[in-house]
Structures are given as C-alpha cells and as structure tokens.
Amino acid sequence: MRTFADRVRHALLFEAVALAIFIPGSAVLFDQPVQDMGVIGIFSATIATLWNFVFNVGFDRAMLRLRGSVEKTMAIRVTHTFLFEAGLVAMLIPLIAWYLGIGLWAALLMDIAIVTFYLVYGFLFNLAYDRLFPVASVAAPAQPC
C-alpha cells in the first residue's frame, strides 16, 4: 500500500496540475470570470483533495481485504474513478450553484462538464503516477481461522 507521504504527494500533485488546466479552461468554456472560476476551482480542489485522500485509503483497504492486493486492473481503475467522481459531484453541486448564483440544474450541467474533464484527467494522471511512483507489492494480512 502507499505510504502517508506518498498519498499526500499524489493528492497535491493531482490538484496542482488540474487547477493549472481547469481555471483558465473553465473560465473560457463557461464564459465566467477567471476569478470566480478560480474560487470554484480552489474550493473544489480543497474538497477533492480531502475526498481523494479519504476515498483512496478506503478503496485500497477494501481491495486488500477483498482481493488480497492493491493492484488495479483496468476495470478496477474505471470503477475507482467513477465512484470517486460520484461522491465529489454530490458534494459540489450545491456549492457551485450557491457561489455562482445559478440554479441546481445549471450547476449540474456545469458539473457534468467538469466531471468529464476530471474523469479523463484523473484516469490519465493516475496511470502516469503509478508508472512514475510504483507501489511495492504487499501481501494480504493473514485471515484468522
């Protein structure tokens, strides 16, 4: 399993690179001021960073318990990404609507576009991260008799 320091590095790198792409891109795409999208981006990144840490620790523990390994197949990577984003969407839609003064439907549509970006980005980032910083193999804990 990944160490605490590795998880911190992962979360910070993930969000820093994403914000560098998201803030200017979303300001243009949604025709919103860069400052507002910066606030949305930084607030969302803060929530996502905390969620990323909690979700990934829980996901890896579940994998280790259920499969005896934290190695991810392609199907597990896709499932991991979708579950992460679903939790994040549920947290962010009301906050985006409130901050931008838009309805929940408009916030949902905006968030669908943002999630699409993050699904692709998250998948590619995690593939690259795992190749740059591979996980050492860990044996599953012994099951009590």
Side-chain angles (χ1 to χ4, degrees):
M1 287 187 53
R2 294 198 177 274
T3 65
F4 178 82
D6 186 44
R7 292 217 178 270
V8 170
R9 176 181 56 201
H10 176 274
L12 294 176
L13 278 174
F14 182 92
E15 295 304 334
V17 173
L19 283 173
I21 299 167
F22 172 80
I23 293 172
S26 64
V28 170
L29 181 66
F30 301 125
D31 195 29
Q32 294 284 333
V34 171
Q35 298 86 343
D36 285 349
M37 295 316 293
V39 169
I40 294 290
I42 291 169
F43 188 75
S44 297
T46 301
I47 291 172
T49 299
L50 296 171
W51 176 234
N52 186 336
F53 182 82
V54 170
F55 180 80
N56 285 324
V57 168
F59 195 90
D60 280 359
R61 285 183 180 166
M63 281 187 57
L64 196 56
R65 189 175 326 113
L66 297 171
R67 297 188 48 160
S69 169
V70 295
E71 292 183 39
K72 295 174 181 78
T73 65
M74 194 60 68
I76 290 172
R77 286 184 185 284
V78 170
T79 300
H80 172 271
T81 301
F82 276 97
L83 289 174
F84 173 82
E85 291 298 337
L88 196 56
V89 165
M91 290 181 265
L92 293 179
I93 288 174
L95 298 171
I96 291 170
W98 168 77
Y99 184 79
L100 294 177
I102 60 177
L104 289 174
W105 181 251
L108 174 63
L109 294 177
M110 181 181 280
D111 202 49
I112 288 170
I114 293 168
V115 165
T116 300
F117 162 74
Y118 273 96
L119 281 172
V120 173
Y121 169 75
F123 181 77
L124 295 174
F125 179 90
N126 285 310
L127 273 176
Y129 190 88
D130 287 349
R131 287 193 178 144
L132 290 171
F133 306 102
V135 177
S137 294
V138 176
Q143 297 293 326
C145 295

